[in-house]
Amino acid sequence: MSKKAGDRLALAVREAMRTEIDLAHGQEILFVGHPDHGGLISSVEVFARGSYSSVAAACRLCDPGDMIIHNHPGGDLRASDADVAVSARLAEAGIGSAIVDNEVTAIYVLVEPVRPPSVTPLDMEYLLGIISRGGAMERILPGFLERSSQIGMLRNVTEGFNSDQVVVAEAGTGVGKSFAYLLPAVLWAAQNGERVVIATATINLQQQLLDRDLEIVQKALGTSVGTALVKGRGNYLCLRRLVEQREETDLFSEDSELSALQEWAETSPTGSRSDLPFFLDDAKWGRVNSESDTCSASRCPDRDRCFILRARHRAAGAGILVANHHLLFSDLAIRNAGVGWDATAILPPFSRLVLDEAHNLERAATSFFSEQVSRTGMLRTLARLHRIRGPHRFGLLERLPPLGVEEGALDRAEKAIAELRSTLDRLNAELLLFLGDESSWRVTAEGVERLRAAVGPALFETNQAVLSLAEELARIIRSVEEEKREEPPMMETAAVIRRLEHNAAVYERFVSPEGEGDSVLWMDRKRESRPGASAQVALIITPLDIRDLMRDSLFGPHETVVLTSATLTVNGSFQFWGGRIGVPDPADGAIHGIHPSPFDYSRRVMLAVPADAPSPEHRDYERYLTMLIPRLVNAANGGALVLFTAFRRLEQVYEVVAPDLERRGFTCYRQGTEDRAKLLESFRADVASVLFATDSFWEGIDAPGETLRLVIVCRLPFRVPTDPVQLARAEAVVEAGGNAFADLSLPQAVMRLKQGFGRLMRRSSDYGVVVIADPRMVRKYYGRIFWESLPPARPLVASGEEIVEEVGSFLNGTFPEGE
């Protein structure tokens, strides 16, 4: 029933709307209306003219409580079917919708807006009191001490929640940053009923938050907010796929493995791989885990027992969700693609989040937003459709005949699969020949013709073969009765088609790479894990710049975003890290803070640089390392972590020094010889051991106490200059008027070195030596930037021989008691 427009629209608003409608000669106009505290629309803005179909885009200007208003030129205010459908969609976001006549004298409200509930701001002084002297934390945790840096960070995070801002916090080791963000996050969830997401890069930190920190925080606050760890669906067992695999028990090394998995599934409350009481390798788990492409959703016969649904129900009832960065980006990408911010994607809806270990964000986002296709991945998709084991045939195609597939359709699909397999083999062989001795290659404007001449026909042929198979599968779906297209096998077939079409699009972009200025197209040779198998070449498309992606999916849609890590600055500035990912500046309202470590680095840590070391590019550098490392380890009596920037150099040095160290009684461990977690466990258990590592071991290692007393950095961690994405981004920096070394390579290396340095001191009572065996620290002008970005340890620049003597003296000295 229509009402007088004056009941809902302010006079100035009615006049403004009439003017706009007159200017449009009475045509349809879409307005976005904003209410005052009493609910009267006090301001409007024109979003579109001539079409109500623009309503979805208009929603980006709206907040819950706003109203979309459009006029019906004919004066009939009755809602059309389209009006009703759109208003229902708006209602899900709390946005109202209404129709007015051209004179704006009458209004018909289809859906009332839902004004967001008022929020209760966090009590700053109350939270600060918990971590201050005499507070709740001091009573709960023996030995807890007030830390000014922790107080400063908690103050900033609390302000960020209260004022809906982005908070950036570099918190040095020992600040206690998890308490500084968990206290505001948990209290906010408890007071306002709003879900908060905590995302980290490593499982170790996730477990620490769930198993220890959240429990302590809730005890300090007196709250009982529900918490849940959210993992990707690939971590969960799919009961239906498990049943299917029982038909192919030869895929498992022993029948007992499959039987044990079935028995475990009957009693497991989670179905999570991490809870398996026995080891199951990746290949076998990949045949029984949950996948979005194979999920039958509501039509699954095991829906009532589904482990994924159980996990989602737990997440929906939790106020604090803990997840990893990759899962968070998966969720954000789905929302940004159209699901929206008020519905469930992978995570339930949320508007406030904390990202710990945020120094990894550019790498994590770059990895997630990259697309790739390879022979291995394609063959895995084809095996899902059709595979033969001896006299038996398996796969999705074998489940389709009962649904009434037309005669000959399956034969055509099998033929298309066989042709695609052959095409993939030929393409991979030509790509390997094209790469020659190179491990990777980037498509540039100058290299397009070379690419096209060498592998253009094979790329085109593969693209066509993929599309041909997708069309054969689509014909199968079209051939069955409409009601049977919703059956699980048909839904899985549709999912495979979508996957094939996505992969075909990647091939197509390599066939015609012109105009790809916003992306990096490159090839990467992948080592094949199976003995004797040929290498695989992956085709990868990586975004050149992720700032807009981050603004659209992370910073823009959320009320509060807290970003924290121990290593976010270079020489005291967030400019490099923040600029790479589009972090708002303080001028835009963001809150930035540097909260230094309370540890006594100047008395407990020595930072040494051997001035007589040859340059890392010099032929004698490796020989120098093989002489220096054993002497340093001997002086420290073991407890050493030796960090490299390249696995090849690690292997070469290890082969020379490990036998000597073993003879002296030092157990030597090398990355790659066993599982990372087991390697770290063995290293921690032996205080006289030495761990040689690279890559991921520069961060995420926590080995406090006597386990780690010496960290040797064998080279400043500059990125490999031949990395295709690094090269493309360096060129982009130059094109923008910058300096590729000073504006990209150097700050990247500084942040990486800060991570490696941070492995040494994990508790206030720890002590030790960091030796950076790279003379550029003292010989190059940029060396001071490294020095000034590291904690204030006791510096020593001397010959290698003098450093060895000082290491022994320093580690055998007496250190003041830590906090």
Side-chain angles (χ1 to χ4, degrees):
M1 181 176 179
S2 62
K3 296 182 178 181
K4 292 181 179 180
D7 294 341
R8 301 303 300 268
L9 309 175
L11 176 61
V13 167
R14 300 199 303 275
E15 291 176 349
M17 292 175 68
R18 272 196 294 270
T19 300
E20 294 292 344
I21 292 170
D22 288 343
L23 290 173
H25 304 291
Q27 295 301 305
E28 189 173 341
I29 293 183
L30 186 69
F31 299 91
V32 177
H34 306 292
D36 60 18
H37 292 295
L40 187 72
I41 301 298
S42 57
S43 66
V44 292
E45 49 196 308
V46 175
F47 183 79
R49 293 177 171 85
S51 175
Y52 195 36
S53 63
S54 301
V55 69
C59 288
R60 296 180 182 177
L61 295 180
C62 299
D63 293 317
D66 287 343
M67 181 178 281
I68 299 291
I69 310 166
H70 73 290
N71 59 307
H72 273 190
D76 185 352
L77 301 192
R78 288 178 296 181
S80 66
D81 290 343
D83 292 335
V84 172
V86 172
S87 65
R89 199 161 75 245
L90 291 169
E92 294 178 358
I95 301 168
S97 52
I99 305 168
V100 296
D101 58 355
N102 276 11
E103 290 73 33
V104 198
T105 57
I107 185 169
Y108 175 63
V109 178
L110 285 83
V111 175
E112 289 286 355
V114 178
R115 302 193 68 183
S118 59
V119 299
T120 303
L122 299 175
D123 185 332
M124 178 83 74
E125 295 307 314
Y126 168 67
L127 288 173
L128 292 175
I130 292 175
I131 59 172
S132 297
R133 187 174 290 106
M137 280 296 180
E138 193 175 279
R139 294 191 296 271
I140 295 170
L141 288 178
F144 181 87
L145 293 174
E146 177 183 309
R147 300 179 179 97
S148 60
S149 292
Q150 188 179 55
I151 286 175
M153 179 175 170
L154 185 144
R155 189 184 297 277
N156 285 1
V157 174
T158 300
E159 184 182 348
F161 272 88
N162 283 343
S163 60
D164 299 343
Q165 293 295 345
V166 172
V167 179
V168 176
E170 180 177 75
T173 307
V175 165
K177 68 180 186 299
S178 60
F179 288 159
Y181 63 69
L182 285 178
L183 282 163
V186 172
L187 186 58
W188 186 273
Q191 286 184 175
N192 296 300
E194 286 190 15
R195 189 177 290 108
V196 181
V197 172
I198 314 290
T200 79
T202 61
I203 188 65
N204 288 342
L205 182 53
Q206 293 166 36
Q207 290 171 340
Q208 175 191 316
L209 294 175
L210 285 164
D211 298 342
R212 176 184 179 272
D213 293 354
L214 277 165
E215 182 179 334
I216 293 171
V217 164
Q218 299 241 48
K219 190 173 182 180
L221 291 169
T223 57
S224 56
V225 176
T227 63
L229 174 64
V230 185
K231 296 184 281 191
R233 66 162 59 237
N235 290 282
Y236 295 95
L237 178 71
C238 174
L239 294 170
R240 185 177 58 78
R241 293 190 76 196
L242 175 60
V243 170
E244 292 173 2
Q245 287 304 311
R246 295 182 68 180
E247 301 173 2
E248 301 181 57
T249 54
D250 60 301
L251 295 179
F252 293 80
S253 58
E254 296 178 21
D255 289 349
S256 60
E257 244 177 352
L258 182 56
S259 300
L261 192 60
Q262 178 72 54
E263 184 178 341
W264 171 77
E266 296 297 329
T267 58
S268 173
T270 66
S272 173
R273 184 182 184 181
S274 62
D275 294 336
L276 267 176
F278 54 89
F279 176 75
L280 196 65
D281 66 37
D282 291 344
K284 294 169 186 176
W285 178 257
R287 296 185 180 106
V288 295
N289 67 337
S290 178
E291 292 183 332
S292 57
D293 286 355
T294 60
C295 182
S296 302
S298 60
R299 290 181 175 268
C300 179
D302 293 301
R303 178 177 174 81
D304 292 340
R305 302 167 56 217
C306 177
F307 293 120
I308 279 287
L309 286 181
R310 290 183 192 176
R312 286 182 173 176
H313 289 155
R314 287 193 295 271
I320 299 290
L321 299 180
V322 179
N324 65 34
H325 290 170
H326 191 273
L327 185 138
L328 173 66
F329 282 121
S330 299
D331 178 87
L332 298 182
I334 293 171
R335 296 181 187 282
N336 210 32
V339 169
W341 307 98
D342 298 295
T344 294
I346 295 174
L347 298 170
F350 61 93
S351 62
R352 301 180 194 273
L353 69 156
V354 177
L355 291 104
D356 204 339
E357 300 176 312
H359 61 278
N360 278 310
L361 282 186
E362 182 180 15
R363 183 170 58 183
T366 295
S367 174
F368 177 79
F369 289 114
S370 293
E371 304 173 78
Q372 78 169 272
V373 62
S374 68
R375 174 178 174 274
T376 301
M378 287 294 298
L379 291 179
R380 190 179 300 120
T381 298
L382 299 185
R384 180 181 300 166
L385 287 169
H386 176 65
R387 56 191 181 275
I388 298 174
R389 297 285 187 273
H392 305 291
R393 299 162 65 89
F394 302 100
L396 188 54
L397 295 185
E398 301 305 309
R399 297 161 54 200
L400 298 180
L403 300 178
V405 176
E406 69 178 9
E407 187 176 351
L410 296 182
D411 291 336
R412 290 193 299 270
E414 288 184 19
K415 182 180 178 182
I417 290 171
E419 291 176 353
L420 178 52
R421 283 197 174 108
S422 297
T423 304
L424 290 168
D425 289 341
R426 288 194 296 274
L427 174 62
N428 193 67
E430 291 193 17
L431 289 172
L432 286 171
L433 187 63
F434 177 77
L435 281 177
D437 294 332
E438 297 181 72
S439 60
S440 60
W441 186 81
R442 176 168 62 107
V443 180
T444 61
E446 297 77 17
V448 168
E449 290 307 317
R450 180 190 165 202
L451 173 71
R452 189 168 284 143
V455 295
L459 283 168
F460 179 79
E461 182 184 1
T462 304
N463 176 60
Q464 294 301 304
V466 175
L467 291 175
S468 295
L469 175 58
E471 175 55 28
E472 291 298 340
L473 297 176
R475 287 178 63 182
I476 289 175
I477 293 178
R478 292 194 298 267
S479 73
V480 304
E481 298 175 7
E482 191 165 345
E483 61 271 17
K484 292 184 179 180
R485 296 176 189 175
E486 297 298 316
E487 292 295 322
M490 285 296 167
M491 293 176 66
E492 287 184 46
T493 302
V496 171
I497 292 173
R498 291 192 295 271
R499 176 67 60 87
L500 291 171
E501 290 174 342
H502 175 269
N503 289 348
V506 175
Y507 287 121
E508 172 62 27
R509 291 173 70 178
F510 274 85
V511 170
S512 304
E514 296 86 357
E516 292 282 356
D518 294 334
S519 301
V520 184
L521 277 63
W522 56 292
M523 304 175 189
D524 188 35
R525 185 196 304 268
K526 304 285 187 181
R527 290 183 179 181
E528 183 57 57
S529 57
R530 291 178 295 116
S534 62
Q536 305 289 312
V537 178
L539 304 179
I540 307 171
I541 302 175
T542 297
L544 182 63
D545 188 332
I546 64 167
R547 287 176 293 184
D548 288 342
L549 289 168
M550 296 293 276
R551 291 184 187 116
D552 292 344
S553 59
L554 182 62
F555 301 118
H558 299 102
E559 301 288 347
T560 300
V561 180
V562 178
L563 306 163
T564 185
S565 168
T567 54
L568 296 179
T569 64
V570 175
N571 205 11
S573 171
F574 291 105
Q575 183 176 355
F576 168 71
W577 167 82
R580 298 293 304 169
I581 62 174
V583 175
D585 293 323
D588 301 317
I591 302 166
H592 291 191
I594 298 175
H595 312 283
S597 170
F599 292 167
D600 188 1
Y601 284 96
S602 63
R603 291 196 290 175
R604 306 188 73 86
V605 177
M606 183 169 72
L607 174 57
V609 176
D612 60 348
S615 168
E617 285 75 30
H618 195 278
R619 62 186 181 186
D620 291 334
Y621 182 68
E622 188 173 301
R623 186 169 63 87
Y624 182 86
L625 290 179
T626 61
M627 295 171 61
L628 179 66
I629 291 171
R631 298 183 67 193
L632 287 171
V633 171
N634 192 59
N637 199 27
L641 171 65
V642 188
L643 292 172
F644 294 81
T645 58
F647 193 77
R648 181 180 177 184
R649 175 155 280 171
L650 181 157
E651 289 183 313
Q652 292 169 339
V653 172
Y654 180 86
E655 287 177 4
V656 175
V657 304
D660 178 42
L661 289 172
E662 293 277 359
R663 283 193 298 270
R664 299 186 190 190
F666 302 112
T667 307
C668 293
Y669 299 101
R670 178 175 65 81
Q671 181 181 350
T673 55
E674 58 180 318
D675 175 74
R676 184 178 190 270
K678 292 181 179 178
L679 201 61
L680 284 173
E681 184 180 347
S682 299
F683 175 61
R684 292 190 188 105
D686 185 352
V687 296
S689 62
V690 186
L691 174 57
F692 294 77
T694 184
D695 195 28
S696 63
F697 284 78
W698 281 74
E699 58 183 278
I701 295 178
D702 197 5
E706 293 295 311
T707 297
L708 183 56
R709 302 179 298 280
L710 172 65
V711 174
I712 304 172
V713 175
C714 291
R715 182 175 183 152
L716 290 174
F718 287 102
R719 290 276 297 273
V720 179
T722 56
D723 176 80
V725 178
Q726 180 77 358
L727 275 172
R729 288 177 170 171
E731 291 172 5
V733 168
V734 173
E735 289 176 7
N739 181 288
F741 179 77
D743 298 335
L744 183 64
S745 298
L746 177 59
Q748 283 177 337
V750 170
M751 291 185 67
R752 191 65 165 165
L753 182 63
K754 289 175 70 175
Q755 282 290 322
F757 181 97
R759 295 315 93 213
L760 179 67
M761 198 161 179
R762 308 305 298 170
R763 299 185 307 206
S764 61
S765 58
D766 289 345
Y767 63 94
V769 178
V770 176
V771 177
I772 302 176
D774 191 327
R776 290 176 292 181
M777 285 285 290
V778 292
R779 294 179 190 167
K780 297 292 186 179
Y781 73 91
Y782 53 78
R784 63 174 181 81
I785 298 177
F786 286 99
W787 284 99
E788 293 169 3
S789 297
L790 296 172
R794 170 187 162 186
L796 174 63
V797 178
S799 68
E801 184 176 347
E802 291 174 295
I803 288 174
V804 170
E805 293 178 3
E806 287 293 326
V807 166
S809 300
F810 185 80
L811 294 179
N812 290 322
T814 301
F815 296 94
E817 289 294 323
E819 293 180 359

